[in-house]
Amino acid sequence: MVDRIADVWGTRTPYARDERWPVRVDQSLAPGVAEDDVDRWVQSACVLCSNGCGCDIAVKDGRMVGVRGRAVDTVNHGRLGPKGLFGSWQGVDNGDRLTRPLVRVDGELVETDWDTAMDRIVGRSRELLSTRGPLSHGFYTTGQLFLEEYYALGIIGKAGIGTPHMDGNTRLCTATAATAMKESFGSDGQPGSYVDIDECDAMFLFGHNMAETQTVLWMRVLDRLAGPNPPRVVCVDPRGTEVARVAEVHLAVRPGTNLALMNGLVRELLHRGWIDERYIADHTLNIDRLRSTVERWTPEAVAETCGVDAEDVRRAAEIFGTSERVLSTVLQGFYQSAQATAASCQVNNLHLLRGMLGKEGSGILQMNGQPTAQNNRECGADGDLPGFRNWENPQHVQELATLWDVDPDIIPHWAPPTHAMQIFRYAEAGSIEFLWISATNPAVSMPQLGRIRRILGSEGLFLVVQDLYLTETARYADVVLPCAAWGEKTGTFTNVNRTVHLSDKAVEPPGEAKSDLDVFLDYSRRMDFRTRSGRPLLDWAGPEDGFRAWQECSRGRPCDYTGISYGRLRGGSGIPWPCNDEHPDGTVRLYPDGDFPTDPDHCESYGHDLLTGAATGPVLYRATVEPGKAWLKSEDYRPPHEEPDDEYPLRYTTGRTVYQFHTRTKTGRSRALDRAAPGAWLEVSVPDARRLGLAEGDVVSVRSRRGHLEVPVRIGDLREGTVFAPFHYGYWDDDGGGRSAGGHHAANELTMTEWDPVSKQPVFKNAAV
């Protein structure tokens, strides 16, 4: 295998349209370990991006010592990216793992036993429930647990405690993906498939730096580009990424102007007649409103607002409008920007206008950023109701109450679920006094970090953190619970294109660490949560019980898992939902017949106004819907709330690097990945560097109205007037001689407390500095 740090995407295996992507097995073993030394290989899938690559874990003498891609897997055909190769087992097999619970005594965290730690949690929880009620409790989780763990947490929060204050860090990265699909199609769930890369004639990447965020998926694109009849590529990104370098058209828009561009692309399709009139009439609603909304967005108007060439707008529209098969992918450049849901819905509209859904090579992937973000949304740990049920639909609430054998009134449905930004606001105001954070690190990942640190450290907040390491967030906790990592527990998870994988336990967790599922089950038992008939609310013995319970919850819903089992997932590849009697082998693409889950008795949401976020509500929805038809949702462009000015003249945007994942809790402990990207930086355009007198490596101070960074400069290929910083870097490794002790290098020190009105996703991609 070539050096996969220097050569991120490895060797090419070219193939033509409609051919099967060739197999290439990637493998990494610990130094001194040969294949013959491995005691056994344990089936799993990689959890260091949202791609969900099938892999096997090498075990020797009871420890993980390597990983290899699974040749039979439908997702990756044997390949792994650099994070999977060098940050998977290496990121969890470290001497600074948490091995015993910690509790705060006289201001310091000290080791204790599980009974003492859980007694503190349960004691405070019971006290607040009896004196303040369920609204005193909040739960903030992750996109990296297993399905069974999310479902347990969802049941505890909704049927045990009865709090609406539940969300995950998926709010920071994939909330808009879910919301855009609900608004357009009536339900969450990716319409497209990775297989569409093999079959498309054109690819549009909207705010999606696939080359660094989903490296194996990008390998698939590169192999198509290297083969006969390669797809035409269009990239929307203010930076000159690897994606932009291979694109036929690169639209380097000003951050915050995505919706203006999308309105212009839609207008071009309408004006040039590149639409399927019959499909629009038979399968969509709101075409007249859409025409009116986009009418003013000529290519010249787009060029003036977005800072791109009008002819490039025409070329991009021509590629979309005349290609036989188009695949679109969308990610953080759209999701974390101004008017996120409206811009993402316009991607859906492009496909609806051409009738390009459910067909070979013609799909949409509203991408995820994390490996199990899809399960968080499916299972209700993010505040939504499990099984893509509608919190405004009393019948859906009753279905859950019957399934769980609880009073429907305990299940929160009197108001929208509380999103993450509001959960932290309630904690700031003292309304939430008990906050349980699992497997995420908001002290680095949330916007306006100075404020978040003050909230986490506030005296009136009882903070529980469960994680692998003593993260920046865990340092603020009253109780820290050590948890098992990937490879140390069993469970299932679902990737971007709805493919479900099983990850089997390979080794024991270190010390007294427990799986997140065992922690949740223990809490439920100690709280004595019970059903109406007196049975324990969660009587599962382990993860497979949880999976079977989830199957029943998903029955008949868009995300139907009833045809999937642990046995079916072992030995082969993953299976895409829905998988049931009607689709026994799973479902590659959704909506092939143009029939969408918008029926008011079935849909996951009644929709919103894209400008204000105001809910449509069941009465208006029922009066206007034509069941089975998709919605052509649209809204006009408004400038971002914070624009550059004389004091803060540059646009600031954040993102990722290929060598790190989230806040580096795991990848920062991999020697290979840490050497490749050891610290934060600021990327500056060539003209801006010349104007400011900056050279490569100069250390600069970058200031916004909220905070500042002090980091080295990289002179890069991005639009003039825009600067970029990776968000991964916090402060956990600053102590004890760290490279940048006392420095300021967390990108979110500068970002805003602002969010999209519909998805409630924070705006990380636009600030003035």
Side-chain angles (χ1 to χ4, degrees), residues 288-311:
D288 291 339
R289 164 73 188 273
L290 178 64
R291 288 183 188 275
S292 174
T293 300
V294 305
E295 182 54 34
R296 75 183 183 95
W297 288 102
T298 64
E300 287 72 25
V302 172
E304 182 179 356
T305 297
C306 300
V308 296
D309 190 275
E311 191 54 38

Side-chain angles (χ1 to χ4, degrees), residues 33-227:
V33 176
E35 279 194 68
D36 291 343
D37 298 327
V38 175
D39 295 334
R40 56 195 173 92
W41 293 90
V42 179
Q43 183 176 343
S44 185
C46 181
V47 292
L48 286 170
C49 82
S50 61
N51 207 51
C53 297
C55 64
D56 295 320
I57 301 169
V59 178
K60 175 178 170 55
D61 299 328
R63 296 187 67 179
M64 293 185 282
V65 295
V67 66
R68 70 182 178 195
R70 289 179 64 81
V72 300
D73 197 82
T74 182
V75 169
N76 57 316
H77 295 219
R79 292 162 185 76
L80 292 172
K83 290 191 285 288
L85 288 168
F86 306 116
S88 52
W89 61 273
Q90 304 94 323
V92 302
D93 187 13
N94 288 275
D96 58 339
R97 279 285 297 275
L98 293 169
T99 59
R100 298 194 70 204
L102 306 174
V103 295
R104 191 166 296 279
V105 178
D106 296 329
E108 300 293 328
L109 287 171
V110 298
E111 286 192 351
T112 189
D113 58 84
W114 274 95
D115 281 339
T116 299
M118 294 304 295
D119 283 349
R120 286 205 180 192
I121 294 171
V122 170
R124 184 58 176 153
S125 187
R126 283 178 171 164
E127 177 188 7
L128 286 171
L129 288 176
S130 65
T131 59
R132 295 285 313 285
L135 297 183
S136 62
H137 282 52
F139 292 86
Y140 184 59
T141 188
T142 179
Q144 299 176 60
L145 301 184
F146 288 154
L147 177 154
E148 298 81 357
E149 294 165 335
Y150 290 124
Y151 189 43
L153 180 58
I155 295 173
I156 287 171
K158 292 172 173 59
I161 293 172
T163 179
H165 304 328
M166 301 187 73
D167 205 357
N169 65 13
T170 50
R171 183 66 55 187
L172 313 184
C173 65
T174 71
T176 302
T179 301
M181 290 184 286
K182 293 179 195 178
E183 295 295 325
S184 296
F185 311 131
S187 176
D188 195 348
Q190 307 292 342
S193 168
Y194 294 165
V195 180
D196 290 328
I197 293 174
D198 307 344
E199 299 165 343
C200 67
D201 297 309
M203 281 192 66
F204 279 65
L205 293 95
F206 295 102
H208 182 196
N209 183 8
M210 186 192 290
E212 298 199 58
T213 55
Q214 287 89 19
T215 51
V216 173
L217 205 59
W218 185 242
M219 295 173 203
R220 198 164 187 159
V221 175
L222 289 176
D223 288 352
R224 269 298 315 273
L225 293 173

Side-chain angles (χ1 to χ4, degrees), residues 396-468:
H396 288 191
V397 176
Q398 183 59 57
E399 287 174 6
L400 290 176
T402 301
L403 184 70
W404 296 336
D405 188 21
V406 298
D407 189 324
D409 287 343
I410 196 176
I411 300 173
H413 61 282
W414 55 86
T418 312
H419 60 92
M421 302 298 289
Q422 193 64 50
I423 286 174
F424 279 87
R425 175 68 187 98
Y426 287 154
E428 183 177 42
S431 174
I432 290 178
E433 297 182 65
F434 178 104
L435 181 60
W436 190 323
I437 297 175
S438 50
T440 186
N441 192 14
V444 177
S445 60
M446 290 286 281
Q448 197 176 343
L449 289 181
R451 172 176 175 257
I452 297 299
R453 286 192 294 267
R454 289 193 297 273
I455 295 170
L456 293 171
S458 59
E459 188 174 340
L461 180 66
F462 185 85
L463 181 64
V464 180
V465 174
Q466 60 189 64
D467 215 314
L468 310 180

Side-chain angles (χ1 to χ4, degrees), residues 342-365:
S344 300
C345 282
Q346 284 291 42
V347 178
N348 299 339
N349 290 342
L350 287 173
H351 283 262
L352 290 168
L353 289 172
R354 291 213 58 207
M356 281 193 171
L357 283 172
K359 304 174 183 177
E360 293 181 351
S362 302
I364 301 168
L365 293 170

Side-chain angles (χ1 to χ4, degrees), residues 2 9 61 69 110 136 192 315 354 406 416 428 474 489 548 576 609 612 640 707 732 767:
V2 299
W9 306 285
D61 299 328
V110 298
S136 62
R315 287 173 61 208
R354 291 213 58 207
V406 298
E428 183 177 42
K489 59 183 181 179
R548 284 190 285 262
D609 178 87
T612 65
W732 64 261

Side-chain angles (χ1 to χ4, degrees), residues 470-483:
L470 193 64
T471 64
E472 291 90 339
T473 300
R475 294 175 188 274
Y476 289 96
D478 295 280
V479 179
V480 180
L481 303 177
C483 284

